Amino acid sequence: MARVLVVGAGLTGGLCAALLKQKYSVSVTVWEQARGLGGRMNTSCSTHNPQCTADLGAQYITCTPSSYAQRHESFYEELLAQGVLKPLTSPIEGLVVKEEDRHFVAPQGISSIVRHYFKKSGVEVSFGHCVTEIYLKDDKWEVCKEVGDSEQFDIIILTMPIPQILQLQGDIKNLISESQKQQLTSVRYSCRFALGLFYDTGTQIDVPWAAQYLPSNPCVRFLSIDNRKRDTDAANTGPSVVVHSTVSFGKENAEKSIEAVQEVILQQVRSLLPGLPPPASTTCHRWTYSQVTQAIPDCPGQMTLHHRPLLMCGGDGFTWSDFDGCLESALCIMEALQPHL
């Protein structure tokens, strides 16, 4: 039985793990360098009350008409049928509404989508596994990580951000062709900060919206009363607020400490919402690779770096940073895998 390593426990990694177990008789291992799964589909919880959560990454999912809409429809149907997704009905000020677009929220937090696919796969994710080197040895891949022994695999699927792929050491550096390197280095990401504010049970936040976009603020791009956005009851958990910075603010402050950036964002939030009570706890996250601003043009969702043994990469950058993009990338990876399994 072939051993497959999926690097990255975000949406593309979760989809790949589920599809691999569904379609092929293989052994699947998933390594994630962070402490939890989700990637940019991150849901954080309060240190005071783990039931009080906030989506620090993606806020909602937009399904737009596309050439592969029919190819993806069954995935939406499954997530809706199982209650992982539901239609977005809460008011979001400044949301550009197009007639044929459909918007969805995840009632249990956006990371529940990724959890759904890993649960479906039955694969247990190994956290704190940061891949550093990949070597070609006896028709297998030997993969080294920061901590612990190296392991060998028959197939590798890399789903982390492209700059992290380009930083890998070992034989992989010489296996990537010059044309592939040019394609990979052409990808661009925006940088943003996300701030989560968590409140005690019974706290009231008196605003007429669930979320709003702020197109003219130099610091804050998006504000959300997160439980209200998801249309979930916060009576027993307390509300939460999510603040996303602008791209320009993220770029200007990318090298500053999280503590310093958090204080600046908090000052902006207090001016925007002067009646906002002090939170019970806060968390601030720097999204170095927030969203793809320039993807690889005309890419079929994945790139094969080496054929035998197989080494592939896909996800954000090979398509755009959204649910349909990651889904299409995972499906393309499965199609490219077929001749090898």
Side-chain angles (χ1 to χ4, degrees):
M1 181 182 290
R3 287 196 78 199
V4 181
L5 172 65
V6 177
V7 182
L11 178 57
T12 305
L15 284 161
C16 284
L19 292 169
L20 277 166
K21 297 299 287 186
Q22 175 186 328
K23 293 175 177 290
Y24 303 110
S25 179
V26 292
S27 170
V28 180
T29 299
V30 179
W31 289 357
E32 167 58 50
Q33 69 172 356
R35 292 176 296 175
L37 56 77
R40 287 188 313 100
M41 288 197 158
N42 174 277
T43 303
S44 293
C45 60
S46 168
T47 55
H48 284 62
N49 181 359
Q51 301 304 310
C52 182
T53 63
D55 292 330
L56 290 192
Q59 293 297 299
Y60 51 86
I61 285 176
T62 300
C63 178
T64 59
S66 65
S67 58
Y68 44 67
Q70 187 174 357
R71 177 171 156 100
H72 294 180
E73 190 61 31
S74 63
F75 291 87
Y76 282 97
E77 289 173 354
E78 176 189 329
L79 293 171
L80 287 163
Q82 299 200 19
V84 180
L85 289 182
K86 69 178 182 180
L88 170 65
T89 56
S90 303
I92 298 183
E93 293 184 357
L95 176 64
V96 177
V97 178
K98 297 179 182 178
E99 187 175 346
E100 295 182 338
D101 285 356
R102 294 181 293 161
H103 302 285
F104 304 98
V105 289
Q108 301 306 312
I110 202 74
S111 67
S112 65
I113 302 171
V114 183
R115 288 200 306 272
H116 168 80
Y117 287 114
F118 276 111
K119 181 179 180 181
K120 186 175 180 178
S121 75
V123 176
E124 187 171 337
V125 179
S126 296
F127 297 107
H129 282 44
C130 179
V131 174
T132 55
E133 300 159 79
I134 298 177
Y135 295 95
L136 186 55
K137 189 171 290 187
D138 300 326
D139 284 333
K140 290 185 182 294
W141 296 112
E142 183 164 346
V143 187
C144 305
K145 48 189 184 290
E146 280 186 350
V147 179
D149 297 332
S150 63
E151 294 186 39
Q152 289 194 341
F153 299 91
D154 300 290
I155 295 170
I156 299 176
I157 302 170
L158 304 173
T159 71
M160 67 267 230
I162 288 174
Q164 294 178 354
I165 294 174
L166 291 170
Q167 291 168 9
L168 293 172
Q169 301 298 307
D171 294 336
I172 186 174
K173 289 180 69 69
N174 300 320
L175 293 173
I176 302 176
S177 70
E178 284 305 315
S179 62
Q180 288 175 328
K181 285 179 184 176
Q182 288 178 7
Q183 287 179 292
L184 294 172
T185 55
S186 71
V187 175
R188 297 288 181 269
Y189 296 83
S190 61
C191 173
R192 292 178 188 261
F193 290 89
L195 177 65
L197 309 177
F198 304 96
Y199 293 88
D200 290 327
T201 303
T203 302
Q204 298 296 316
I205 299 176
D206 188 19
V207 294
W209 38 263
Q212 64 173 187
Y213 286 93
L214 303 169
S216 60
N217 190 287
C219 174
V220 177
R221 176 71 173 116
F222 181 81
L223 274 170
S224 170
I225 314 302
D226 219 43
N227 52 286
R228 196 179 297 173
K229 176 204 73 184
R230 294 188 243 150
D231 193 25
T232 54
D233 186 7
N236 298 318
T237 61
S240 62
V241 173
V242 169
V243 188
H244 278 191
S245 80
T246 62
V247 171
S248 58
F249 180 87
K251 184 177 181 180
E252 292 165 6
N253 295 274
E255 303 303 322
K256 294 183 180 179
S257 71
I258 285 289
E259 293 77 16
V261 172
Q262 174 173 304
E263 187 53 40
V264 173
I265 298 175
L266 273 172
Q267 289 174 7
Q268 281 288 323
V269 173
R270 293 187 191 111
S271 67
L272 290 166
L273 302 173
L276 193 67
S281 65
T282 63
T283 185
C284 189
H285 186 83
R286 178 189 289 108
W287 292 108
T288 304
Y289 308 112
S290 172
Q291 286 181 301
V292 175
T293 57
Q294 180 176 308
I296 297 175
D298 303 319
C299 183
Q302 62 84 28
M303 183 180 289
T304 299
L305 302 178
H306 196 268
H307 284 86
R308 295 193 182 277
L310 188 61
L311 174 61
M312 313 169 67
C313 47
D316 285 353
F318 300 90
T319 58
W320 296 97
S321 302
D322 55 23
F323 179 78
D324 278 316
C326 292
L327 179 50
E328 185 63 17
S329 184
L331 290 171
C332 289
I333 288 170
M334 292 306 111
E335 290 168 354
L337 268 172
Q338 191 169 1
H340 298 265
L341 293 173

